[in-house]
Amino acid sequence: MKWKWHILRGAGIAATSYFAVTTLKLLPLTDFYTIAFTSPFLVMILAVLWLGEHVGWRRWVATGVAFSGILVMAGTQFGEFGAGYIYAFLCALSASINIIIARKIGPVDFTPVYAFYPMLFIFALNVTCLIATGTDNPLPHITGDQIPLFLMHAPFIVLGIIICSRGFALAPVVAMVTPFHYTQIIWGTAFGYFIFGQWPTPETFAGLSLIVAAGLYSLYREYLHKRPAAV
């Protein structure tokens, strides 16, 4: 088992979690998504520099189209530059490095290990932050009706870490998977409507169209690449 890489990745995911939570306290959600979703660009750059992977121009274009969809959705909502934007970029950079480490590890290790070290480091970080607050309440600012949501959150985040790790480890090249990062916007928009009653704006629908188109094109290109040549 490549435990050194697992430990490094666990620490990296804990850092990503910290940057994300801190950013969301400082920035609107749209601003956060727009900056955090520079990650696919960063992943492909790191894959070229660190892993020596080849990224064709079509995949660069597909990722660029998807990112332009994020910009369309964001519109002119950006506020003044501040610490929140620095944390958002650090979140994107840390997440990108974690993906490259998952590629270095590969798909050979026992599947639950991919979530064990990240959850261990996230737990250690949370305990450290809790102690630093100096409170006697082990669940500060959490009401009774929120506890079931936290209990539901735990297995889903473990499953998400495992699936994401395996996906990047098994993909033929990183560039095939990175455009699908942007589908998080689709799920976020759907949850916003069905759970919080937030109706998407015309800019949201336009941006989603670009994101979906880029993802489908990437999938189609991979199909063509893997399809056996006609006899």
Side-chain angles (χ1 to χ4, degrees), residues 37 179-188 208 211-212 215:
F37 279 2
F180 291 92
H181 264 218
Y182 296 112
T183 61
Q184 293 181 60
I185 284 287
I186 300 176
W187 316 129
L208 284 176
I211 294 167
V212 171

Side-chain angles (χ1 to χ4, degrees), residues 19 44 92 98 117 129 135 142-143 147 220:
F19 292 139
M44 287 202 293
N98 295 333
Y117 285 101
C129 293
T135 178
I142 298 177
T143 60
I147 293 177
Y220 175 68

Side-chain angles (χ1 to χ4, degrees), residues 115-213:
F116 173 77
Y117 285 101
M119 296 308 296
L120 178 64
F121 276 89
I122 289 174
F123 175 77
L125 176 63
N126 288 338
V127 170
T128 302
C129 293
L130 185 62
I131 294 174
T133 63
T135 178
D136 295 329
N137 182 4
L139 297 174
H141 312 301
I142 298 177
T143 60
D145 59 340
Q146 292 174 333
I147 293 177
L149 297 177
F150 277 93
L151 294 177
M152 291 174 58
H153 175 261
F156 278 110
I157 194 170
V158 170
L159 181 62
I161 290 174
I162 291 176
I163 292 176
C164 183
S165 303
R166 298 289 291 182
F168 277 101
L170 290 168
V173 291
V174 167
M176 173 191 171
V177 185
T178 47
F180 291 92
H181 264 218
Y182 296 112
T183 61
Q184 293 181 60
I185 284 287
I186 300 176
W187 316 129
T189 301
F191 292 148
Y193 173 69
F194 289 108
I195 298 177
F196 301 105
Q198 299 173 341
W199 182 254
T201 64
E203 290 83 2
T204 299
F205 283 117
L208 284 176
S209 299
L210 292 172
I211 294 167
V212 171

Side-chain angles (χ1 to χ4, degrees), residues 11-12 70 172 219:
I70 300 294
L219 190 61

